[in-house]
mmCIF file of all heavy atoms in Angstrom:
data_model
loop_
_atom_site.group_PDB
_atom_site.id
_atom_site.type_symbol
_atom_site.label_atom_id
_atom_site.label_comp_id
_atom_site.label_asym_id
_atom_site.label_seq_id
_atom_site.Cartn_x
_atom_site.Cartn_y
_atom_site.Cartn_z
ATOM 1 N N ILE A 6 -0.275 14.071 0.609
ATOM 2 C CA ILE A 6 -0.962 15.065 1.442
ATOM 3 C C ILE A 6 -0.794 16.440 0.801
ATOM 4 O O ILE A 6 0.304 16.846 0.440
ATOM 5 C CB ILE A 6 -0.381 15.079 2.880
ATOM 6 C CG1 ILE A 6 -0.384 13.677 3.505
ATOM 7 C CG2 ILE A 6 -1.142 16.072 3.745
ATOM 8 C CD1 ILE A 6 -1.744 13.052 3.672
ATOM 9 N N LEU A 7 -1.902 17.138 0.677
ATOM 10 C CA LEU A 7 -1.919 18.483 0.120
ATOM 11 C C LEU A 7 -2.233 19.444 1.265
ATOM 12 O O LEU A 7 -3.239 19.267 1.955
ATOM 13 C CB LEU A 7 -3.003 18.548 -0.956
ATOM 14 C CG LEU A 7 -3.103 19.774 -1.832
ATOM 15 C CD1 LEU A 7 -1.892 19.851 -2.749
ATOM 16 C CD2 LEU A 7 -4.372 19.691 -2.667
ATOM 17 N N ASP A 8 -1.387 20.432 1.482
ATOM 18 C CA ASP A 8 -1.689 21.356 2.580
ATOM 19 C C ASP A 8 -2.699 22.409 2.138
ATOM 20 O O ASP A 8 -2.956 22.596 0.947
ATOM 21 C CB ASP A 8 -0.417 21.977 3.168
ATOM 22 C CG ASP A 8 0.317 22.925 2.235
ATOM 23 O OD1 ASP A 8 -0.324 23.509 1.336
ATOM 24 O OD2 ASP A 8 1.533 23.094 2.415
ATOM 25 N N VAL A 9 -3.264 23.082 3.108
ATOM 26 C CA VAL A 9 -4.333 24.052 2.863
ATOM 27 C C VAL A 9 -3.865 25.166 1.930
ATOM 28 O O VAL A 9 -4.567 25.532 0.986
ATOM 29 C CB VAL A 9 -4.859 24.637 4.200
ATOM 30 C CG1 VAL A 9 -5.781 25.818 3.956
ATOM 31 C CG2 VAL A 9 -5.572 23.558 5.013
ATOM 32 N N LEU A 12 -3.760 23.969 -1.676
ATOM 33 C CA LEU A 12 -5.099 23.811 -2.250
ATOM 34 C C LEU A 12 -5.734 25.182 -2.500
ATOM 35 O O LEU A 12 -6.375 25.386 -3.531
ATOM 36 C CB LEU A 12 -5.995 22.960 -1.355
ATOM 37 C CG LEU A 12 -7.406 22.705 -1.900
ATOM 38 C CD1 LEU A 12 -7.366 22.053 -3.282
ATOM 39 C CD2 LEU A 12 -8.219 21.852 -0.930
ATOM 40 N N ASP A 26 -15.682 15.476 -0.866
ATOM 41 C CA ASP A 26 -15.878 15.558 0.581
ATOM 42 C C ASP A 26 -16.602 14.291 1.023
ATOM 43 O O ASP A 26 -17.735 14.043 0.616
ATOM 44 C CB ASP A 26 -16.718 16.802 0.905
ATOM 45 C CG ASP A 26 -16.760 17.125 2.382
ATOM 46 O OD1 ASP A 26 -16.880 16.183 3.202
ATOM 47 O OD2 ASP A 26 -16.716 18.316 2.726
ATOM 48 N N ARG A 28 -17.530 13.358 4.089
ATOM 49 C CA ARG A 28 -18.290 13.434 5.341
ATOM 50 C C ARG A 28 -19.756 13.092 5.077
ATOM 51 O O ARG A 28 -20.189 12.959 3.941
ATOM 52 C CB ARG A 28 -18.165 14.846 5.946
ATOM 53 C CG ARG A 28 -16.732 15.181 6.335
ATOM 54 C CD ARG A 28 -16.578 16.611 6.813
ATOM 55 N NE ARG A 28 -16.996 17.525 5.758
ATOM 56 C CZ ARG A 28 -17.550 18.728 5.963
ATOM 57 N NH1 ARG A 28 -17.751 19.161 7.181
ATOM 58 N NH2 ARG A 28 -17.877 19.484 4.950
ATOM 59 N N ILE A 38 -16.388 23.240 1.351
ATOM 60 C CA ILE A 38 -15.615 24.078 0.432
ATOM 61 C C ILE A 38 -16.447 24.274 -0.835
ATOM 62 O O ILE A 38 -16.936 23.288 -1.405
ATOM 63 C CB ILE A 38 -14.263 23.418 0.091
ATOM 64 C CG1 ILE A 38 -13.435 23.248 1.369
ATOM 65 C CG2 ILE A 38 -13.505 24.245 -0.952
ATOM 66 C CD1 ILE A 38 -12.167 22.429 1.168
ATOM 67 N N VAL A 65 -8.868 15.493 -4.802
ATOM 68 C CA VAL A 65 -8.472 15.739 -3.419
ATOM 69 C C VAL A 65 -9.632 15.284 -2.543
ATOM 70 O O VAL A 65 -10.773 15.695 -2.743
ATOM 71 C CB VAL A 65 -8.159 17.231 -3.157
ATOM 72 C CG1 VAL A 65 -7.866 17.473 -1.682
ATOM 73 C CG2 VAL A 65 -6.988 17.689 -4.016
ATOM 74 N N LEU A 66 -9.309 14.432 -1.579
ATOM 75 C CA LEU A 66 -10.315 13.898 -0.655
ATOM 76 C C LEU A 66 -10.304 14.718 0.628
ATOM 77 O O LEU A 66 -9.237 15.043 1.165
ATOM 78 C CB LEU A 66 -10.015 12.427 -0.367
ATOM 79 C CG LEU A 66 -10.067 11.535 -1.604
ATOM 80 C CD1 LEU A 66 -9.410 10.200 -1.327
ATOM 81 C CD2 LEU A 66 -11.502 11.357 -2.066
ATOM 82 N N ILE A 67 -11.507 15.031 1.105
ATOM 83 C CA ILE A 67 -11.667 15.920 2.253
ATOM 84 C C ILE A 67 -12.625 15.274 3.253
ATOM 85 O O ILE A 67 -13.642 14.690 2.862
ATOM 86 C CB ILE A 67 -12.264 17.276 1.808
ATOM 87 C CG1 ILE A 67 -11.395 17.918 0.745
ATOM 88 C CG2 ILE A 67 -12.490 18.211 2.996
ATOM 89 C CD1 ILE A 67 -12.096 19.007 -0.038
ATOM 90 N N CYS A 68 -12.313 15.411 4.527
ATOM 91 C CA CYS A 68 -13.264 15.054 5.591
ATOM 92 C C CYS A 68 -13.075 16.087 6.702
ATOM 93 O O CYS A 68 -12.557 17.178 6.447
ATOM 94 C CB CYS A 68 -13.051 13.613 6.070
ATOM 95 S SG CYS A 68 -11.494 13.324 6.924
ATOM 96 N N ARG A 69 -13.475 15.773 7.899
ATOM 97 C CA ARG A 69 -13.362 16.730 8.977
ATOM 98 C C ARG A 69 -11.908 16.952 9.375
ATOM 99 O O ARG A 69 -11.439 18.065 9.488
ATOM 100 C CB ARG A 69 -14.179 16.272 10.191
ATOM 101 C CG ARG A 69 -14.188 17.272 11.305
ATOM 102 C CD ARG A 69 -14.924 16.715 12.540
ATOM 103 N NE ARG A 69 -14.524 17.421 13.718
ATOM 104 C CZ ARG A 69 -13.362 17.252 14.361
ATOM 105 N NH1 ARG A 69 -12.504 16.384 13.938
ATOM 106 N NH2 ARG A 69 -13.079 17.952 15.429
ATOM 107 N N SER A 70 -11.169 15.831 9.597
ATOM 108 C CA SER A 70 -9.795 15.975 10.079
ATOM 109 C C SER A 70 -8.775 15.156 9.297
ATOM 110 O O SER A 70 -7.585 15.357 9.461
ATOM 111 C CB SER A 70 -9.726 15.576 11.553
ATOM 112 O OG SER A 70 -10.092 14.210 11.705
ATOM 113 N N GLY A 71 -9.204 14.232 8.476
ATOM 114 C CA GLY A 71 -8.280 13.446 7.667
ATOM 115 C C GLY A 71 -8.472 11.941 7.732
ATOM 116 O O GLY A 71 -8.049 11.225 6.838
ATOM 117 N N GLN A 72 -9.076 11.429 8.798
ATOM 118 C CA GLN A 72 -9.217 9.985 8.964
ATOM 119 C C GLN A 72 -10.094 9.363 7.882
ATOM 120 O O GLN A 72 -9.694 8.409 7.209
ATOM 121 C CB GLN A 72 -9.792 9.645 10.336
ATOM 122 C CG GLN A 72 -10.020 8.149 10.504
ATOM 123 C CD GLN A 72 -10.853 7.821 11.715
ATOM 124 O OE1 GLN A 72 -11.106 8.650 12.573
ATOM 125 N NE2 GLN A 72 -11.316 6.592 11.779
ATOM 126 N N ALA A 74 -10.989 10.625 5.042
ATOM 127 C CA ALA A 74 -10.392 10.843 3.723
ATOM 128 C C ALA A 74 -9.333 9.779 3.448
ATOM 129 O O ALA A 74 -9.213 9.289 2.326
ATOM 130 C CB ALA A 74 -9.786 12.247 3.630
ATOM 131 N N LEU A 91 -4.922 13.936 -0.257
ATOM 132 C CA LEU A 91 -5.742 14.219 0.922
ATOM 133 C C LEU A 91 -5.458 15.630 1.389
ATOM 134 O O LEU A 91 -4.307 16.067 1.393
ATOM 135 C CB LEU A 91 -5.411 13.246 2.060
ATOM 136 C CG LEU A 91 -5.405 11.754 1.752
ATOM 137 C CD1 LEU A 91 -5.024 10.968 2.995
ATOM 138 C CD2 LEU A 91 -6.749 11.312 1.239
ATOM 139 N N LEU A 92 -6.512 16.336 1.810
ATOM 140 C CA LEU A 92 -6.322 17.664 2.378
ATOM 141 C C LEU A 92 -5.839 17.507 3.816
ATOM 142 O O LEU A 92 -6.553 16.949 4.658
ATOM 143 C CB LEU A 92 -7.630 18.472 2.343
ATOM 144 C CG LEU A 92 -7.564 19.853 2.997
ATOM 145 C CD1 LEU A 92 -6.523 20.743 2.311
ATOM 146 C CD2 LEU A 92 -8.931 20.511 2.973
ATOM 147 N N ALA A 93 -4.635 17.961 4.091
ATOM 148 C CA ALA A 93 -4.055 17.863 5.430
ATOM 149 C C ALA A 93 -4.941 18.603 6.430
ATOM 150 O O ALA A 93 -5.250 19.775 6.244
ATOM 151 C CB ALA A 93 -2.653 18.456 5.445
ATOM 152 N N GLY A 94 -5.375 17.903 7.452
ATOM 153 C CA GLY A 94 -6.189 18.519 8.494
ATOM 154 C C GLY A 94 -7.645 18.693 8.139
ATOM 155 O O GLY A 94 -8.435 19.163 8.959
ATOM 156 N N GLY A 95 -8.030 18.368 6.908
ATOM 157 C CA GLY A 95 -9.428 18.404 6.483
ATOM 158 C C GLY A 95 -10.085 19.764 6.631
ATOM 159 O O GLY A 95 -9.431 20.811 6.576
ATOM 160 N N MET A 96 -11.400 19.731 6.813
ATOM 161 C CA MET A 96 -12.174 20.975 6.937
ATOM 162 C C MET A 96 -11.759 21.780 8.156
ATOM 163 O O MET A 96 -11.826 23.016 8.142
ATOM 164 C CB MET A 96 -13.680 20.665 7.009
ATOM 165 C CG MET A 96 -14.319 20.358 5.683
ATOM 166 S SD MET A 96 -14.236 21.731 4.499
ATOM 167 C CE MET A 96 -15.271 22.965 5.286
ATOM 168 N N THR A 97 -11.320 21.105 9.198
ATOM 169 C CA THR A 97 -10.869 21.814 10.400
ATOM 170 C C THR A 97 -9.719 22.751 10.049
ATOM 171 O O THR A 97 -9.736 23.935 10.403
ATOM 172 C CB THR A 97 -10.446 20.805 11.485
ATOM 173 O OG1 THR A 97 -11.551 19.944 11.778
ATOM 174 C CG2 THR A 97 -10.009 21.507 12.753
ATOM 175 N N ALA A 98 -8.723 22.243 9.328
ATOM 176 C CA ALA A 98 -7.578 23.067 8.934
ATOM 177 C C ALA A 98 -7.982 24.128 7.912
ATOM 178 O O ALA A 98 -7.514 25.266 7.966
ATOM 179 C CB ALA A 98 -6.471 22.182 8.365
ATOM 180 N N TRP A 99 -8.854 23.747 6.970
ATOM 181 C CA TRP A 99 -9.312 24.687 5.940
ATOM 182 C C TRP A 99 -9.986 25.894 6.576
ATOM 183 O O TRP A 99 -9.698 27.050 6.236
ATOM 184 C CB TRP A 99 -10.258 23.975 4.983
ATOM 185 C CG TRP A 99 -10.764 24.822 3.856
ATOM 186 C CD1 TRP A 99 -11.968 25.489 3.805
ATOM 187 C CD2 TRP A 99 -10.119 25.086 2.607
ATOM 188 N NE1 TRP A 99 -12.093 26.152 2.602
ATOM 189 C CE2 TRP A 99 -10.968 25.918 1.851
ATOM 190 C CE3 TRP A 99 -8.909 24.700 2.059
ATOM 191 C CZ2 TRP A 99 -10.632 26.358 0.579
ATOM 192 C CZ3 TRP A 99 -8.572 25.149 0.788
ATOM 193 C CH2 TRP A 99 -9.440 25.972 0.062
ATOM 194 N N GLN A 100 -10.893 25.639 7.513
ATOM 195 C CA GLN A 100 -11.603 26.735 8.173
ATOM 196 C C GLN A 100 -10.666 27.544 9.059
ATOM 197 O O GLN A 100 -10.772 28.766 9.112
ATOM 198 C CB GLN A 100 -12.782 26.186 8.980
ATOM 199 C CG GLN A 100 -13.910 25.702 8.080
ATOM 200 C CD GLN A 100 -15.055 25.082 8.847
ATOM 201 O OE1 GLN A 100 -14.894 24.054 9.500
ATOM 202 N NE2 GLN A 100 -16.223 25.707 8.760
ATOM 203 N N ALA A 101 -9.736 26.878 9.751
ATOM 204 C CA ALA A 101 -8.782 27.594 10.610
ATOM 205 C C ALA A 101 -7.905 28.538 9.792
ATOM 206 O O ALA A 101 -7.514 29.600 10.271
ATOM 207 C CB ALA A 101 -7.920 26.601 11.385
ATOM 208 N N ALA A 102 -7.615 28.158 8.539
ATOM 209 C CA ALA A 102 -6.784 28.997 7.668
ATOM 210 C C ALA A 102 -7.591 30.079 6.958
ATOM 211 O O ALA A 102 -7.045 30.867 6.197
ATOM 212 C CB ALA A 102 -6.074 28.115 6.631
#
Side-chain angles (χ1 to χ4, degrees):
I6 307 298
L7 189 68
D8 68 26
V9 170
L12 182 57
D26 191 319
R28 296 175 301 149
I38 299 172
V65 175
L66 298 165
I67 303 162
C68 67
R69 184 185 159 284
S70 62
Q72 177 192 348
L91 309 179
L92 176 60
M96 281 298 294
T97 302
W99 182 263
Q100 288 177 296

